[in-house]
Amino acid sequence: MKILSAMLADAADALNGKLYIHGGGWDSLVVREFPAVHPMMAVALLLCADAGESPGTGELRVHLVDEDGNDTGAGAAALLGIGHGPLHRRGQKTLVPISIPFATIRFEKPGGYEFRVLWNGQPLSPSVVFSVVTPPMPSLGQPYPGPPQPESA
């Protein structure tokens, strides 16, 4: 099994062999303070099974770790059946779109986070990496620079 595409999205759904992604492809989450709870996000995956893996079954696991490798407690696991579509040709690879929603994930501290993906206990690459940060604040005694100004021609 290989990952052809992996991303974070505000929401995603896998339906009828297709991925439907809303607000996908981000790598930073800005929060006001820590700890922070993010209401909803999804991991959208497009997997590719080679001819030897389909038809068949396997276990997919996804778990969230912080930059120190500590498990955050957010994760999912499923036993997946991989079949063939009606137009499948012998020896053809099989695409497997997957959407995994996560609600109310708690982030204890700022830094890097990673959704690790495992197929039958083996890590797949790439993982889904992102950061959780607070917005930059001006230093005390420094004026707020305001919004960026358009350049003059």
Side-chain angles (χ1 to χ4, degrees):
M1 185 68 69
K2 293 181 182 176
I3 296 178
L4 295 182
S5 179
M7 74 175 72
L8 283 177
D10 295 334
D13 198 8
L15 183 65
N16 297 326
K18 297 180 182 179
L19 271 175
Y20 295 89
I21 298 170
H22 178 73
W26 49 270
D27 65 357
S28 297
L29 182 61
V30 180
V31 299
R32 289 180 185 245
E33 61 187 4
F34 290 93
V37 176
H38 191 66
M40 178 62 79
M41 69 175 68
V43 173
L45 302 171
L46 183 58
L47 304 176
C48 181
D50 66 29
E53 293 175 303
S54 65
T57 60
E59 181 189 51
L60 181 74
R61 287 190 174 273
V62 176
H63 65 279
L64 180 64
V65 297
D66 66 18
E67 63 192 5
D68 298 321
N70 300 313
D71 196 312
T72 66
L79 186 61
L80 296 180
I82 303 168
H84 293 150
L87 302 176
H88 183 83
R89 295 183 318 259
R90 184 177 177 88
Q92 180 180 347
K93 295 180 180 188
T94 302
L95 296 181
V96 183
I98 303 286
S99 170
I100 307 163
F102 289 94
T104 61
I105 294 180
R106 184 179 171 98
F107 298 97
E108 297 295 333
K109 61 183 182 178
Y113 289 84
E114 174 184 6
F115 278 105
R116 292 184 179 165
V117 181
L118 296 99
W119 178 254
N120 292 330
Q122 298 300 311
L124 298 180
S125 229
S127 57
V128 181
V129 179
F130 64 105
S131 58
V132 182
V133 298
T134 54
M137 299 298 287
S139 300
L140 290 175
Q142 299 293 319
Y144 176 70
Q149 300 298 314
E151 293 183 25
S152 310

